[in-house]
Amino acid sequence: MITLGIETSCDETAAAVLRDGTVLSNIVSSQVKLHEQYGGVVPELASREHLKNLMPVIGEALSTASVTLKDVDLIAVTSAPGLIGALLVGVSVAKAVAYSLNIPFIGVHHGEGHILAAHLEYPDIGYPYVALLASGGHTALYHVKEFGKYTLLGQTRDDAAGEAFDKVAKLLDLPYPGGPVIDRMARQGDPRAIAFPRGQREGYDFSFSGLKTAVRNHVALFRSKDKGLDPSLNISDVTASFQAAVVDTLVEKTVKAAKEQGVSKVIVAGGVAANSSLRTEMERSCKEAGIALYLPGMGLCIDNAAMIALTGYLHYQQGERSELDLNPRASMAL
Amino acid sequence: MFSIITSNTEQTEEVGRVLGSMLEPGDLVCLFGDLGAGKTHFSFGIAQGLQVRDQYITSPTFTFVNEYRGRIPFYHIDLYRLKDPSELESIGFEEYIDSDGATVIEWAEQAEDELPADKLNVYFSDVSENSRELGFFAEGERYEKLLADLKKTIGDKKVIEIK
């Protein structure tokens, strides 16, 4: 069975083709040279850019997979949550293509897609497990009992982890996105140089807003209006100490959740899972606790359509499908 | 126009809570100020004042908009990541502003030319590490009345300093 996945919930326009549970292609617009081909660099977010990118991205996904539109048996599309105008583009295209080919389509929850992405790389994970979803927009821990049974254990009470990386980068005059550049600079710094707060919240909840403000207050001591950042500020130490505070919190709560929920497997999903320190520390702590850790590769951590295709395929296997009156929704709990 | 000095994030939230309890359908509050100035804390307060019961009221930086149900709908918008005003269309910006809910916009300076004429503006600035100055500026009749009510209620509490 061939599934075409479509993802337009936020910044990325993405399409992917799966044969059953196997990825044949996984195309993300920011990673291909579509802009040059189709008219210059443009803001990726606007709906009309999704509109402009989506058909070429779908074409690329089909040709990379060596299939044609006529081979597609099912269309899976992100229908919630996300930017409403952006979601509408994907959902409308999915409906139109499904209708014209007379094949089923199914709306998928973006967060469920992120969690299940690990199954593409590790088909034999099995259930139950604890999933940490950490990205620019989410930081949450789920207990996953079986396919489709997600219990939210806790989440951020203010900023998401990825958002904290972006905002701290901004405070240090570093480029966007903040994750990769902080990861790189932190390698030269001392993670114990500055004792930033760990933002402890009860249970499995997170908080990163106080940490952001603490970095801001530290940096403010070195910033003047006319001269900018004073060179005596050790940016490597700031990034290393900040990153350690985020990683400590994420690792500690995830391992605690796995132990207390009595599960022996942990998966980490979302763009923050690309952080090298998080990967190293999570591996170390899980190993110590006798927990098996599943960390999908980068292409499956960031927003992508392969995870959406898989999620739609698995729901379809359970007999589910969406009707043509399906409307996208900006907010929706998993 | 008047200013309030809060000495910590709890007081910033409290001022937001008082304002939130006074908001009516269609109201628009625009927040201006730097990273860490207290805009999101203030918005949490507004959500509480609007009787939003959600367990989690989180930063809308990445999603641009978070929607909540309170005694009236609450739309929490954050334009921090806006790169171009043309992107407002993707967010459904106009629909939120013209809706029957209360709308709060963080990083309103990112779309200053696109904002309606009538609104309540709040400017956040640092006094010290934890203390903040909140400058209120009303545009239009509705917001002048709202501001007068806010000043009176906060003044009656005699806890938070008004300049």
Side-chain angles (χ1 to χ4, degrees):
Chain A
M1 177 161 182
I2 300 285
T3 305
L4 171 66
I6 295 172
E7 153 68 37
T8 61
S9 68
C10 197
D11 296 358
E12 298 283 13
T13 315
V17 176
L18 259 57
R19 172 169 286 123
D20 301 329
T22 305
V23 182
L24 298 183
S25 66
N26 190 17
I27 307 294
V28 176
S29 65
S30 66
Q31 299 184 326
V32 294
K33 303 250 178 216
L34 283 171
H35 288 323
E36 289 165 28
Q37 207 177 333
Y38 294 92
V41 177
V42 283
E44 311 97 79
L45 185 143
S47 309
R48 64 169 169 274
E49 299 313 323
H50 279 305
L51 205 52
K52 198 150 96 183
N53 287 341
L54 187 52
M55 291 320 285
V57 167
I58 288 175
E60 179 96 11
L62 293 169
S63 64
T64 305
S66 304
V67 298
T68 68
L69 213 44
K70 288 196 179 72
D71 301 318
V72 175
D73 302 299
L74 170 71
I75 296 182
V77 61
T78 307
S79 57
L83 307 178
I84 195 72
L87 287 167
L88 258 172
V89 173
V91 170
S92 305
V93 167
K95 283 182 189 177
V97 176
Y99 183 74
S100 67
L101 295 174
N102 196 22
I103 57 170
F105 90 103
I106 186 158
V108 169
H109 191 286
H110 183 79
E112 184 178 17
H114 269 300
I115 292 172
L116 295 178
H119 290 253
L120 287 166
E121 200 162 312
Y122 309 99
D124 304 319
I125 297 181
Y127 300 93
Y129 53 73
V130 160
L132 169 69
L133 172 52
S135 66
H138 310 268
T139 301
L141 274 169
Y142 295 93
H143 176 255
V144 183
K145 193 180 168 205
E146 57 190 78
F147 170 67
K149 293 256 165 65
Y150 312 95
T151 308
L152 179 67
L153 298 173
Q155 68 159 54
T156 182
R157 293 208 160 255
D158 38 59
D159 299 356
E163 175 184 348
F165 272 93
D166 285 338
K167 289 190 170 169
V168 164
K170 172 103 172 172
L171 289 169
L172 294 166
D173 299 337
L174 298 172
Y176 177 90
V181 63
I182 287 180
D183 192 351
R184 201 166 55 241
M185 297 205 70
R187 283 174 212 163
Q188 272 97 52
D190 176 4
R192 281 159 309 199
I194 308 147
F196 286 131
R198 261 54 179 167
Q200 283 305 338
R201 288 290 190 142
E202 66 277 17
Y204 301 118
D205 283 347
F206 300 96
S207 166
F208 295 107
S209 163
L211 170 60
K212 173 189 71 189
T213 308
V215 174
R216 174 179 179 267
N217 290 338
H218 181 82
V219 174
L221 303 172
F222 295 85
R223 187 185 283 283
S224 63
K225 277 216 167 70
D226 40 338
K227 289 187 194 141
L229 275 185
D230 192 286
S232 68
L233 174 69
N234 189 328
I235 295 181
S236 299
D237 280 354
V238 176
T239 53
S241 301
F242 157 75
Q243 181 174 273
V246 176
V247 168
D248 281 359
T249 312
L250 293 176
V251 171
E252 187 198 313
K253 295 247 170 179
T254 305
V255 172
K256 175 174 134 129
K259 283 181 181 165
E260 291 178 0
Q261 299 295 316
V263 304
S264 58
K265 294 172 209 164
V266 160
I267 72 160
V268 182
V272 179
N275 182 272
S276 63
S277 172
L278 178 65
R279 295 179 89 92
T280 311
E281 292 304 314
M282 194 68 91
E283 269 165 17
R284 197 180 53 75
S285 290
C286 284
K287 202 171 174 190
E288 264 175 32
I291 295 164
L293 174 66
Y294 298 91
L295 272 167
M298 252 322 277
L300 294 175
C301 283
I302 60 169
D303 286 353
N304 68 87
M307 67 185 197
I308 301 303
L310 177 72
T311 307
Y313 167 73
L314 292 173
H315 278 285
Y316 184 75
Q317 298 289 95
Q318 311 270 311
E320 299 167 44
R321 58 194 284 174
S322 297
E323 299 301 325
L324 284 169
D325 61 359
L326 174 78
N327 283 318
R329 289 177 54 185
S331 309
M332 188 194 265
L334 180 57
Chain B
M1 161 132 199
F2 73 99
S3 288
I4 290 174
I5 311 284
T6 62
S7 32
N8 50 46
T9 52
E10 288 75 23
Q11 282 196 353
T12 302
E13 277 191 38
E14 174 60 19
V15 177
R17 192 152 44 234
V18 173
L19 177 61
S21 69
M22 296 172 170
L23 292 179
E24 292 171 6
D27 279 348
L28 175 63
V29 181
C30 296
L31 312 184
F32 300 80
D34 237 329
L35 279 175
K39 298 182 298 298
T40 303
H41 281 287
F42 187 74
S43 305
F44 291 169
I46 289 180
Q48 286 164 21
L50 286 165
Q51 295 163 27
V52 169
R53 302 259 181 254
D54 292 54
Q55 193 184 354
Y56 297 101
I57 295 153
T58 56
S59 164
T61 291
F62 194 77
T63 51
F64 286 88
V65 187
N66 287 341
E67 300 177 12
Y68 302 97
R69 257 177 259 167
R71 61 180 169 79
I72 55 175
F74 173 44
Y75 304 117
H76 187 189
I77 298 182
D78 184 332
L79 301 179
Y80 178 77
R81 297 197 321 127
L82 197 77
K83 281 174 277 177
D84 189 281
S86 69
E87 298 172 340
L88 290 170
E89 187 193 330
S90 294
I91 309 166
F93 190 68
E94 300 240 329
E95 285 81 4
Y96 288 113
I97 287 182
D98 294 335
S99 73
D100 55 353
T103 304
V104 170
I105 305 179
E106 296 194 40
W107 294 95
E109 50 267 66
Q110 296 272 75
E112 220 156 355
D113 297 340
E114 319 290 324
L115 300 171
D118 285 12
K119 56 192 177 292
L120 177 64
N121 295 328
V122 190
Y123 299 87
F124 292 75
S125 52
D126 287 16
V127 177
S128 67
E129 189 170 321
N130 295 314
S131 175
R132 300 287 184 266
E133 178 167 353
L134 282 55
F136 290 86
F137 184 71
E139 293 186 272
E141 220 173 290
R142 154 70 189 144
Y143 297 99
E144 277 162 26
K145 184 184 173 301
L146 178 66
L147 206 50
D149 290 348
L150 178 70
K151 188 173 181 180
K152 183 171 182 309
T153 312
I154 301 278
D156 288 348
K157 289 185 185 269
K158 293 191 174 43
V159 185
I160 300 169
E161 187 190 337
I162 298 186
K163 278 213 300 202

